[in-house]
Amino acid sequence: MGKIKDASLAADGRKKIEWAESRMPVLMKLKETHSKKKTLQGLRVSGCLHVTKETAVLVETIRACGAEVAWSGCNPLSTQDDVAAALDASGIDIYAWRGLSPKDYYWCIEQTLRIGPNLTLDDGADLIFTIHGKLQQYLPGVIGGTEETTIGVHRIRAMAAEGKLKYPVIAVNDAETKSDFDNVYGTGQSAIDGIIRATNVLFAGKNVVVAGYGHVGRGITLRSRGLGANVIVTEVNPVNALRARMEGYTVLPMDEAAKLGDIFVTATSVKDIITAKHLESMKDGAIVSNAGHFNVEVDVKAAERIAKKHRQIRDNNEEYVLKNGNRIFILAEGKLVNLAAAEGHPSEVMDMSFANQLLSLARLSKEGRSMKPGVHETSKEQDAEVARLKLDSMGIAIDKLSEEQTRYIADWKQGT
Ligand code: ADE
């Protein structure tokens, strides 16, 4: 049996899950077809991914396909306790509650591995690290795994490069129907949702500084501009910086941007993006938040060190009064603002991400034993299937190439 915060919240959590189901037509369609085929029959799946209403739909889909499931969250502040209670009530082995200590966080992951998984599902690769480290005895039973997020894929690639990754892992993050939608439109909306819930500030007329112009940064800049903000981008990658400039954003080093910003959002996956010197040069009232997976981008410890005093001023919003008298507001302790201060990405976009998760698990169950240890891409066919199902659910028809057009594309002898 698992461990959650409060079993009495199960009925509320169940309603949230039903709401998410009504917004996730692709995953629900796959649930229908794959549960009939019992695609994952007899397999044990350990998962480590934010416990939200959307994740609950995925977990129950995996179970409906015949698998036994054990689950934990992948961030100490992102678990929705009512959803965890609903999953627990439906018999899922779940170890998750909001506000975990670092020790409890890893304890929860370890409990999910005790089922002896055949498949692992990660968001940030903490489960993969745990099974390759402290709980290596479970490695021989693993057929394969999946990874949901950008930084997790970076890390397992690093493991694979050193020959340390002992089973095949599919980089779900890198599917086009994942990263071009979830990372862009999902984070674009949910990060701003988190900032607004924690502050209720007006974006119009503000200087919003977005650190990082990858998929996630692009989404946040797009939606901030849509709300009437003046957007400044900071980057280390010259191509991304150029992209941002050509989209019409101001590009500056963080040392300069720090003096101008009203609202800061980090989206780099790298540590020490906003440090003490930046906090000290910010304007009075600046709001600082992070949309990257780990809470390493904003140096919250430095804020504690350089502040005269600090207090919680609203939910997920801490006021730091610096020695120069300026007040800086740090949201959600520098943790993922979209999941800690809001509900994560909307169901409609998680629909595609989790369809990719399910299809990747299905592929591993069939082909995993013959796949080499290392990082594997999702297929073009899978992207096409997910996109087609999504378009169908939206009632959108598209054109089809004629045979002549197909021949034309393939004919290298055709000139001008
Ligand atoms: N990551 C971002 N948003 C999420 C959500 N709603 N559920 C699970 N993982 C997420």
Side-chain angles (χ1 to χ4, degrees):
M1 231 26 233
K3 187 165 176 196
I4 54 160
K5 186 173 275 172
D6 183 353
S8 73
L9 302 174
D12 286 345
R14 180 51 55 190
K15 280 191 273 183
K16 282 192 182 166
I17 297 168
E18 286 170 13
W19 169 254
E21 284 175 341
S22 77
R23 309 270 131 189
M24 301 179 81
V26 177
L27 189 58
M28 294 306 281
K29 180 93 194 152
L30 293 174
K31 181 176 184 181
E32 199 184 307
T33 49
H34 286 263
S35 63
K36 277 197 199 114
K37 293 192 276 181
K38 290 283 178 225
T39 305
L40 303 174
Q41 187 64 39
L43 296 175
R44 290 184 298 277
V45 180
S46 299
C48 177
L49 193 149
H50 306 291
V51 178
T52 65
K53 58 192 185 305
E54 292 76 23
T55 301
V57 180
L58 174 65
V59 169
E60 294 189 336
T61 299
I62 295 171
R63 183 172 60 175
C65 293
E68 183 189 334
V69 187
W71 210 267
S72 73
C74 65
N75 183 293
L77 266 193
S78 66
T79 291
Q80 296 168 4
D81 286 317
D82 47 4
V83 171
L87 285 174
D88 181 65
S90 78
I92 298 285
D93 205 13
I94 177 154
Y95 301 85
W97 59 95
R98 184 182 161 98
L100 289 167
S101 67
K103 187 162 160 264
D104 284 341
Y105 174 75
Y106 284 102
W107 179 84
C108 288
I109 292 177
E110 286 166 29
Q111 301 321 300
T112 69
L113 288 172
R114 306 260 176 229
I115 62 167
N118 307 115
L119 297 169
T120 65
L121 189 155
D122 253 285
D123 183 342
D126 282 336
L127 195 146
I128 290 178
F129 300 141
T130 307
I131 199 170
H132 282 75
K134 192 172 170 190
L135 296 181
Q136 289 178 23
Q137 67 267 36
Y138 295 114
L139 275 174
V142 180
I143 300 167
T146 62
E147 171 51 52
E148 168 81 3
T149 200
T150 313
I151 183 69
V153 171
H154 275 296
R155 295 202 164 163
I156 55 172
R157 280 196 201 288
M159 280 177 84
E162 289 182 29
K164 298 275 164 57
L165 187 61
K166 299 296 178 203
Y167 56 82
V169 182
I170 298 182
V172 169
N173 178 72
D174 297 354
E176 283 182 282
T177 46
K178 199 279 182 182
S179 49
D180 285 354
F181 297 88
D182 168 317
N183 303 25
V184 181
Y185 308 110
T187 321
Q189 180 165 324
S190 63
I192 289 173
D193 184 13
I195 295 168
I196 290 177
R197 290 193 204 197
T199 63
N200 199 27
V201 291
L202 185 71
F203 268 61
K206 295 283 193 307
N207 285 337
V208 173
V209 176
V210 179
Y213 196 71
H215 286 89
V216 168
R218 252 197 301 132
I220 298 167
T221 54
L222 193 65
R223 293 300 175 242
S224 298
R225 179 154 71 184
L227 287 170
N230 173 49
V231 181
I232 300 166
V233 169
T234 73
E235 251 300 346
V236 291
N237 175 321
V239 178
N240 281 351
L242 203 52
R243 284 197 179 107
R245 185 65 196 117
M246 299 243 172
E247 273 303 319
Y249 303 116
T250 303
V251 177
L252 289 173
M254 183 56 88
D255 285 0
E256 298 301 313
K259 299 175 203 154
L260 304 175
D262 299 300
I263 301 170
F264 294 80
V265 195
T266 55
T268 67
S269 298
V270 178
K271 66 189 276 213
D272 299 340
I273 300 302
I274 293 182
T275 60
K277 71 172 175 173
H278 300 124
L279 295 168
E280 277 166 341
S281 67
M282 284 178 191
K283 296 194 283 192
D284 182 33
I287 293 164
V288 177
S289 64
N290 165 50
H293 184 83
F294 293 112
N295 59 330
V296 294
E297 306 200 26
V298 178
D299 191 348
V300 180
K301 289 234 157 48
E304 283 161 17
R305 211 171 49 242
I306 64 174
K308 279 195 294 200
K309 54 182 178 176
H310 72 98
R311 61 174 172 156
Q312 183 178 348
I313 190 148
R314 287 169 63 92
D315 282 352
N316 298 304
N317 185 341
E318 291 269 329
E319 176 193 58
Y320 292 83
V321 182
L322 305 192
K323 295 190 183 98
N324 62 14
N326 285 351
R327 290 158 303 164
I328 307 294
F329 298 91
I330 300 185
L331 308 187
E333 305 167 20
K335 297 193 169 82
L336 266 175
V337 73
N338 57 343
L339 280 138
E343 291 174 63
H345 304 351
S347 309
E348 290 87 341
V349 79
M350 295 315 294
D351 190 23
M352 292 196 281
S353 308
F354 288 166
N356 276 298
Q357 283 286 0
L358 184 74
L359 292 171
S360 299
L361 293 179
R363 176 174 156 206
L364 286 167
S365 75
K366 265 212 281 189
E367 302 168 16
R369 288 174 189 84
S370 55
M371 287 163 76
K372 290 211 171 72
V375 181
H376 295 256
E377 301 300 332
T378 55
S379 66
K380 290 271 171 226
E381 292 74 27
Q382 182 171 308
D383 266 327
E385 180 182 359
V386 172
R388 216 170 273 126
L389 286 170
K390 191 70 179 174
L391 286 168
D392 283 352
S393 77
M394 297 163 88
I396 296 171
I398 59 171
D399 291 327
K400 193 169 182 300
L401 287 175
S402 67
E403 278 178 28
E404 196 179 334
Q405 285 173 315
T406 309
R407 269 198 304 278
Y408 174 80
I409 292 170
D411 185 358
W412 57 271
K413 290 182 206 130
Q414 290 265 0
T416 308

